[in-house]
Structure formats: structure tokens, C-alpha cells
Amino acid sequence: MPADPETRPLGRTGIRVLPLGIGTNKWRRADRGAVLETCRIIHDAGPCMIDTAEIYFSERVVGDCLRAGPPGAVIASKFLPFPGRTSPRRLISALDGSLARLGLKTIDLYYVHYPLPLIDVRVFAEGLVEAVKSGKARAVGVANFSAEQMRRMADHLARAGVRLAASQVNYSLLRRAAETNGVLEACRELDVALVAYFPLASGRLTQPSDGMDAKALLTCLAEIARAHDASISQVALNWLLARDSHVIPIPGATKPDCQSARKFWTPIPRLRGSILQAE
């Protein structure tokens, strides 16, 4: 069966998601009713990736959303390494905790949140392999890893028959390091999804600003948005989507927005809409 053209793959794992996911690092303190409505829109849209992490303290909120609506979302969470927490056993224990908070037996995607200086990535690779082999994770990835660290992780995983699915990094029109530090190139080479967090630069790409550092860019985005009856954030997200088919932005959102929801995947010349009021 041909792949759905309106989804993007998580590497070569067979998992496909909508081109736009959602970040949940603000869900812990957000209005619970608004978050549940946001989740309802996500469920209606299709296999949207919901990104969380143990350090966000939002896994229980995501779990509430999953219990309130029909399944369909693709769930991703992250293991936070720190000195003294660098063994495969510690990673699996953390994954067990995340699964309990989410109310899941298996998570779709499990990342190592950060690399640690002086710690060989093989330590984390062994834990990720065990996560997949045990059936606790369908796919695994890395976050905030350099291109070289990413390649080493992919190599260690491959030796155990596990594919690296995703590399999550800070990537937006205002933060384009992934294009010059080798991460985007490595994602293309290894056929790994590049999951872009802060794709709207923590809100700086959502509305016009008087700040001199981004004023010219925002003025340009506003002009394009007006020409296509879109929002500035939609234009900024579309730019990322158009950069490369490996890129999957995950803007943060805590509130549904009916106008944006109606525009979700509505054809706009060279643009695609956002399902949410991205922040």
C-alpha cells in the first residue's frame, strides 16, 4: 500500500505521523479543559505526534488526554540522563515510570533527552535497544545530540537490529544551526526524522515585533501571511515543512483555535495550516 502523502515517516520504523506535531512542555500548568479540547482536535486530525518528557511533568496530563479520547495520536517521551543515571537499567526504570504516568504499555517513540559529556552514547544505546526488544518502545531517538553523536548512536543501535527513528533539535527560522552543524545532513544520510522543537522560536515567530533582531523577518512573514489569508505562525511552520521532508515541527500549544482548526491541511497556495493556536 502506498504511503499516505499527508504524513511523514519516523525514519525507517514504519511509523508515520502528521507533518505537524505538538509540544507539551507547558501543559502541566495550562487550563485542563483547554488542553483536553486541544487533544480532541488532535485526535480528529489523525496521527499527530504528542511530544512530552519526564522533565516536563506533563506526562500525566497527556495520559488524561489519551483516556478521554479515542486512540490515534503518536506519543513520544524522553529519558533525562544525569551523572549517576547512566546505565541501561536506569533508562528502563525511567521508561517504566513514563509508561505508568501515560497509562500505556508501549510508547511509540522514546528519546534520550541530552548527551552527557564524557559518557559514551553506547551506554544509552544499550538501554534503548532493551526498550525496543522488551516491547516497551516501538521506536527510539535522540534529542540535542550533535551530528557525530547521532551517527554513533545510530551505529550502535543498528548492530542490535534497531533503527534510529528521530533526532530532536531546536530548529526555526531564527535558529538554523541544524543546517550548518551537520544535523540536518545526518538526518538525510541516515533517513532519520528531524523533529524541530521551538519551531516558532518560543513565540517570537507568532506576531509582528518591534525587536530589531527579527523585525525584518517578521515583516516579511506578515506580508506573506496577508497574501495567503494565513497567520505568521502558519507561514513560519510551512517554511520548516518545505525545507526538507525529514522535518517534523512540534510547536507548543495549550489552547484550541477554531479558526486555525478549520485551516488544518486546507489547501493554501504553498502553505499548510496549523491545527492549533501555536505559542
Side-chain angles (χ1 to χ4, degrees), residues 18-27 38 42 48-52 56 168-169 171-172 195-203 205-206 233-234 236-238 240-241 247-255 264-265 272-279:
L18 292 177
L20 286 177
I22 181 172
T24 67
N25 62 331
K26 294 183 180 179
W27 279 20
T38 298
I42 290 171
C48 179
M49 181 161 60
I50 301 179
D51 181 86
T52 184
Y56 299 165
Q168 186 174 139
V169 293
Y171 186 27
S172 71
V195 179
Y197 72 84
F198 294 161
L200 297 174
S202 299
L205 292 173
T206 61
S233 60
Q234 286 172 327
L237 291 171
N238 179 76
L240 276 173
L241 292 171
V247 177
I248 301 170
I250 51 168
T254 57
K255 300 180 289 294
F264 182 56
W265 304 126
R272 292 292 192 178
S274 168
I275 61 172
L276 306 168
Q277 180 176 314
E279 299 158 337

Side-chain angles (χ1 to χ4, degrees), residues 243-267:
R243 292 298 289 172
D244 194 282
S245 60
H246 290 85
V247 177
I248 301 170
I250 51 168
T254 57
K255 300 180 289 294
D257 181 279
C258 292
Q259 182 179 6
S260 291
R262 285 194 295 269
K263 287 182 176 179
F264 182 56
W265 304 126
T266 299

Side-chain angles (χ1 to χ4, degrees), residues 207-220:
Q207 57 189 353
S209 170
D210 293 330
M212 295 305 295
D213 60 338
K215 186 174 183 179
L217 172 61
L218 287 164
T219 299
C220 179

